[in-house]
Amino acid sequence: MYMYKILVVFLAVFMIDKRCLGTSAPSYLAKAQEINAIRLSEEWPRLSVSSKLNRDCKEYARHLATLNIPDQTLYWTNEVDEFGNKDVIITDHIAYPSSDPKNTNYIESICEFVNESCALYWYSKGGLFFRNHLKFPSKIEQSLAGKYTAMLWKSSKKIGVGIALKNSANKNKRYIMVVRYAPPGNVPGQYKQNLPKFKLDLNETITNESAFVKNLYIPVLLLNLLTFIVM
């Protein structure tokens, strides 16, 4: 059932991106709407777009573009594994440094993209890792799970998105996106009250790597998303 929810969210995200065709660069507002569409699919409150957070995110995205970080593996890219089978490589762009890991004003997620929706990837793969009981998660799995929970953190009220062209001389048009949520999520001890409905394994402690089995309500999801798309 979770895959049905991802499919419906994907359709909502597609409709949002379609509205922004014809622009010379990806729209930061469209990316914020994608995240709100995902939150709406979980019957969660929308985030208000903050002009200040937008400015700060854009400034930091431009800074990251000056670091000459090698191109990252794009989400949804089909690769051939050692056995000759094509598969989607699970990745995350952890090469990009956080602006200030010790700040208490916001929580931050960063990605590199061309056309792909970072938010949808965080939701699908990050949600998968968060729901599964990973005893020894890799850095990528931890990062994706953390981006998933940050995006769906109920107590967060505002969002900021900044997008910068990675390399103007490169024709592949890769972009760097910085997303910030405030107040920050992923606060230890507050996961139960800040994440969508789930069933808690009482033998586990709630952490970034914990996993939950969600109660999905597809009819309500479809109604809410159809309402959002029509608006």
Side-chain angles (χ1 to χ4, degrees), residues 87-99:
D87 197 5
V88 176
I89 302 301
I90 304 302
T91 187
D92 193 25
H93 303 153
I94 58 179
Y96 288 101
S98 298
S99 56

Side-chain angles (χ1 to χ4, degrees), residues 23-61:
T23 59
S24 58
S27 165
Y28 70 89
L29 183 57
K31 299 304 180 184
Q33 289 174 337
E34 287 179 9
I35 291 173
N36 272 327
I38 290 171
R39 289 174 65 94
L40 183 61
S41 77
E42 297 284 1
E43 303 177 62
W44 232 226
R46 298 180 185 179
L47 300 168
S48 62
V49 179
S50 165
S51 298
K52 182 181 186 308
L53 286 175
N54 285 340
R55 288 194 301 270
D56 293 344
C57 286
K58 186 173 184 179
E59 180 180 347
Y60 190 60

Side-chain angles (χ1 to χ4, degrees), residues 9 25 37 52 92 94 98 121 159 169 174 180-181 207 221 226:
V9 173
K52 182 181 186 308
D92 193 25
I94 58 179
S98 298
Y121 187 84
I159 185 173
R174 287 178 177 243
R180 293 176 181 173
Y181 311 93
T207 66
L221 164 70
L226 286 174

Side-chain angles (χ1 to χ4, degrees), residues 2 5-11 13-14 34-35 38 76 116-126 151:
Y2 184 69
K5 178 172 285 192
I6 292 176
L7 175 60
V8 175
V9 173
F10 174 81
L11 292 175
V13 169
F14 173 78
E34 287 179 9
I35 291 173
I38 290 171
W76 315 113
E116 300 83 356
S117 169
C118 301
L120 187 59
Y121 187 84
W122 295 339
Y123 180 65
S124 61
K125 298 302 180 184
M151 181 168 57

Side-chain angles (χ1 to χ4, degrees), residues 70-72 74 112-116 165-175:
D71 287 351
Q72 303 295 291
L74 293 173
E112 179 180 312
F113 72 98
V114 175
N115 298 312
E116 300 83 356
L165 185 63
K166 183 175 182 181
N167 183 352
S168 59
N170 195 327
K171 296 182 179 180
N172 65 14
K173 294 294 183 180
R174 287 178 177 243
Y175 294 90

